[in-house]
Amino acid sequence: KKQILHEFVKFIKKELDLKMVPSIVIKSKRDELKTTANYDYTKKEKIVKVYGKGRALVDIMRSLAHELVHHKQYEEGRLDGPQPPDIGGEIEDEANAKAGQFIKMYAKIDPTIYDD
């Protein structure tokens, strides 16, 4: 599954035209994660954290894509102020929509992402 995630990140990087990919950590314990994933653009070191234990690969991928969309928003200077709402609003809705689109697009390349 690690190789699939690696290829998926390369796919997202290209699709979003990311300047750089933040560090990515798939966690087996929630620790500080309150949801399934987190990207804190206010910190100097850019890290995407995704909770992976007991989750389907495709769900982990969707969370990862969602947070990478937030990273793109950061690169574009759209996350300059206070933390945007985590439910609804332009920033969150865009991340949700694009993550779903990327999963469907990538499934055409590798339909095994739905296997578990």
Coordinates of all heavy atoms in Angstrom, one line a residue, residues 16-19 39 41 65-80 84-85 89-98:
L16 N -2.1 19.2 -9.1 CA -2.2 20.5 -8.4 C -1.1 21.4 -8.7 O -1.1 22.6 -8.3 CB -2.2 20.2 -6.9 CG -3.5 19.6 -6.3 CD1 -3.3 19.4 -4.8 CD2 -4.7 20.6 -6.5
D17 N -0.1 20.9 -9.5 CA 1.1 21.7 -9.8 C 1.7 22.3 -8.5 O 2.0 23.5 -8.4 CB 0.8 22.8 -10.8 CG 2.0 23.5 -11.4 OD1 3.1 22.8 -11.5 OD2 1.9 24.7 -11.7
L18 N 1.9 21.4 -7.5 CA 2.5 21.8 -6.3 C 4.0 22.2 -6.5 O 4.7 21.5 -7.2 CB 2.4 20.7 -5.2 CG 1.1 20.3 -4.8 CD1 1.1 19.1 -3.8 CD2 0.4 21.4 -4.0
K19 N 4.4 23.2 -5.8 CA 5.9 23.6 -5.8 C 6.7 22.6 -5.0 O 7.8 22.3 -5.4 CB 6.0 25.0 -5.3 CG 5.4 26.1 -6.1 CD 5.5 27.5 -5.4 CE 4.6 28.4 -6.2 NZ 4.2 29.6 -5.3
Y39 N -3.4 19.3 8.4 CA -2.3 20.0 7.8 C -2.3 21.4 8.4 O -3.2 22.2 8.3 CB -2.5 20.2 6.3 CG -1.5 21.1 5.6 CD1 -0.2 20.8 5.5 CD2 -2.0 22.3 5.1 CE1 0.7 21.7 4.9 CE2 -1.1 23.2 4.5 CZ 0.2 22.9 4.4 OH 1.1 23.8 3.8
Y41 N -0.8 24.8 8.2 CA -0.1 25.7 7.4 C 0.6 26.8 8.2 O 1.5 27.5 7.6 CB -1.0 26.3 6.3 CG -2.0 27.2 6.8 CD1 -1.8 28.6 7.0 CD2 -3.3 26.7 7.2 CE1 -2.8 29.4 7.6 CE2 -4.3 27.5 7.7 CZ -4.0 28.8 7.9 OH -5.0 29.7 8.4
A65 N -5.4 13.5 -0.1 CA -5.6 14.5 -1.2 C -6.2 15.8 -0.7 O -5.9 16.9 -1.1 CB -6.6 13.8 -2.2
H66 N -7.2 15.6 0.3 CA -7.8 16.8 0.9 C -6.8 17.7 1.5 O -6.8 19.0 1.3 CB -8.8 16.3 1.9 CG -9.5 17.4 2.7 ND1 -10.8 17.8 2.5 CD2 -9.1 18.2 3.7 CE1 -11.1 18.7 3.3 NE2 -10.1 19.0 4.1
E67 N -5.9 17.2 2.3 CA -4.9 18.0 2.9 C -3.9 18.6 1.9 O -3.4 19.7 2.1 CB -4.2 17.2 4.0 CG -5.1 16.7 5.1 CD -5.9 17.8 5.8 OE1 -5.5 18.9 5.9 OE2 -7.0 17.4 6.3
L68 N -3.6 17.9 0.9 CA -2.7 18.4 -0.2 C -3.3 19.6 -0.9 O -2.7 20.5 -1.4 CB -2.2 17.3 -1.1 CG -1.2 16.3 -0.4 CD1 -0.9 15.2 -1.4 CD2 0.1 17.0 0.0
V69 N -4.7 19.5 -1.1 CA -5.4 20.7 -1.7 C -5.2 21.9 -0.7 O -4.9 23.0 -1.2 CB -6.9 20.4 -1.9 CG1 -7.6 21.6 -2.3 CG2 -7.0 19.3 -3.0
H70 N -5.3 21.7 0.6 CA -5.0 22.8 1.5 C -3.6 23.3 1.3 O -3.4 24.5 1.4 CB -5.3 22.3 2.9 CG -6.7 22.2 3.3 ND1 -7.7 23.1 2.9 CD2 -7.3 21.3 4.1 CE1 -8.8 22.8 3.4 NE2 -8.7 21.7 4.2
H71 N -2.6 22.4 1.1 CA -1.3 22.9 0.9 C -1.2 23.7 -0.4 O -0.5 24.8 -0.4 CB -0.3 21.7 0.8 CG 1.1 22.1 0.6 ND1 1.9 22.7 1.5 CD2 1.9 22.0 -0.5 CE1 3.0 23.0 1.0 NE2 3.1 22.6 -0.2
K72 N -1.9 23.3 -1.4 CA -1.9 24.2 -2.6 C -2.5 25.5 -2.3 O -2.0 26.6 -2.8 CB -2.7 23.4 -3.7 CG -2.8 24.2 -5.0 CD -1.5 24.5 -5.7 CE -1.6 25.2 -7.0 NZ -0.3 25.4 -7.7
Q73 N -3.6 25.5 -1.6 CA -4.2 26.8 -1.2 C -3.2 27.7 -0.4 O -3.2 28.9 -0.6 CB -5.4 26.5 -0.3 CG -6.6 25.9 -1.1 CD -7.6 25.3 -0.1 OE1 -7.4 25.0 1.0 NE2 -8.8 25.1 -0.7
Y74 N -2.4 27.0 0.4 CA -1.3 27.8 1.2 C -0.3 28.3 0.2 O 0.1 29.5 0.3 CB -0.7 26.8 2.2 CG 0.6 27.4 2.7 CD1 0.6 28.4 3.7 CD2 1.8 27.0 2.2 CE1 1.8 28.9 4.2 CE2 3.0 27.5 2.7 CZ 3.0 28.5 3.7 OH 4.2 29.0 4.1
E75 N 0.1 27.5 -0.8 CA 1.1 28.0 -1.8 C 0.6 29.2 -2.6 O 1.4 30.0 -3.0 CB 1.5 26.8 -2.7 CG 2.4 25.8 -2.1 CD 2.9 24.7 -3.1 OE1 2.3 24.7 -4.3 OE2 3.8 24.0 -2.8
E76 N -0.7 29.2 -2.8 CA -1.3 30.3 -3.6 C -1.6 31.5 -2.7 O -2.1 32.5 -3.2 CB -2.6 29.8 -4.2 CG -2.5 28.8 -5.3 CD -3.8 28.2 -5.8 OE1 -4.8 28.3 -5.1 OE2 -3.8 27.6 -6.9
G77 N -1.3 31.4 -1.4 CA -1.5 32.6 -0.5 C -2.9 32.7 -0.1 O -3.4 33.8 0.4
R78 N -3.7 31.7 -0.2 CA -5.2 31.8 0.1 C -5.5 31.4 1.6 O -6.6 31.5 2.0 CB -5.9 30.9 -0.8 CG -5.9 31.4 -2.3 CD -6.4 30.4 -3.3 NE -7.8 30.0 -3.0 CZ -8.3 28.9 -3.3 NH1 -7.7 28.0 -4.0 NH2 -9.6 28.6 -3.0
L79 N -4.4 31.0 2.3 CA -4.6 30.6 3.7 C -3.9 31.6 4.6 O -3.3 31.2 5.6 CB -4.1 29.2 4.0 CG -4.9 28.1 3.3 CD1 -4.3 26.7 3.6 CD2 -6.4 28.2 3.6
D80 N -3.8 32.9 4.2 CA -3.1 33.9 5.0 C -3.8 34.4 6.3 O -3.9 34.7 6.7 CB -2.8 35.1 4.1 CG -1.6 34.9 3.3 OD1 -0.9 33.9 3.5 OD2 -1.4 35.7 2.4
P84 N -9.3 29.0 8.5 CA -10.7 29.0 7.9 C -11.6 27.9 8.6 O -11.0 27.0 9.3 CB -10.5 28.6 6.5 CG -9.1 27.9 6.5 CD -8.3 28.4 7.6
P85 N -12.9 28.0 8.5 CA -13.8 27.1 9.1 C -13.5 25.7 8.6 O -13.2 25.5 7.4 CB -15.2 27.5 8.8 CG -15.0 28.5 7.7 CD -13.6 29.0 7.7
G89 N -17.7 26.5 3.7 CA -16.9 27.6 3.3 C -16.1 27.2 2.0 O -15.9 26.1 1.7
E90 N -15.6 28.2 1.3 CA -14.9 28.0 0.1 C -13.7 27.1 0.2 O -13.5 26.2 -0.6 CB -14.5 29.4 -0.5 CG -13.7 29.3 -1.8 CD -13.1 30.6 -2.2 OE1 -13.5 31.7 -1.7 OE2 -12.2 30.6 -3.1
I91 N -12.8 27.4 1.2 CA -11.6 26.6 1.3 C -11.9 25.1 1.6 O -11.3 24.3 0.9 CB -10.8 27.2 2.5 CG1 -10.3 28.7 2.1 CG2 -9.6 26.3 2.8 CD1 -9.4 28.8 1.0
E92 N -12.7 24.8 2.5 CA -13.0 23.4 2.9 C -13.8 22.7 1.8 O -13.5 21.6 1.5 CB -13.8 23.4 4.2 CG -13.8 22.1 4.9 CD -12.4 21.5 5.3 OE1 -11.4 22.3 5.3 OE2 -12.4 20.3 5.6
D93 N -14.8 23.4 1.2 CA -15.6 22.8 0.1 C -14.7 22.5 -1.1 O -14.9 21.4 -1.7 CB -16.7 23.7 -0.3 CG -17.8 23.8 0.8 OD1 -17.8 23.0 1.7 OD2 -18.7 24.7 0.6
E94 N -13.7 23.3 -1.4 CA -12.8 23.1 -2.5 C -12.0 21.8 -2.2 O -11.8 21.0 -3.1 CB -11.9 24.3 -2.8 CG -10.9 24.0 -3.9 CD -9.9 25.1 -4.1 OE1 -9.7 26.0 -3.2 OE2 -9.4 25.2 -5.2
A95 N -11.5 21.7 -1.0 CA -10.6 20.6 -0.6 C -11.4 19.3 -0.7 O -11.0 18.3 -1.2 CB -10.0 20.8 0.8
N96 N -12.7 19.3 -0.2 CA -13.5 18.1 -0.3 C -13.8 17.7 -1.7 O -13.7 16.6 -2.1 CB -14.8 18.4 0.5 CG -14.7 18.3 2.0 OD1 -13.9 17.6 2.5 ND2 -15.5 19.1 2.7
A97 N -14.2 18.7 -2.5 CA -14.6 18.4 -3.9 C -13.4 17.9 -4.7 O -13.5 16.8 -5.4 CB -15.1 19.6 -4.6
K98 N -12.2 18.5 -4.6 CA -11.1 18.1 -5.4 C -10.6 16.7 -4.9 O -10.1 15.9 -5.7 CB -10.0 19.2 -5.3 CG -10.2 20.4 -6.1 CD -9.0 21.2 -6.3 CE -9.2 22.4 -7.2 NZ -9.3 22.0 -8.6

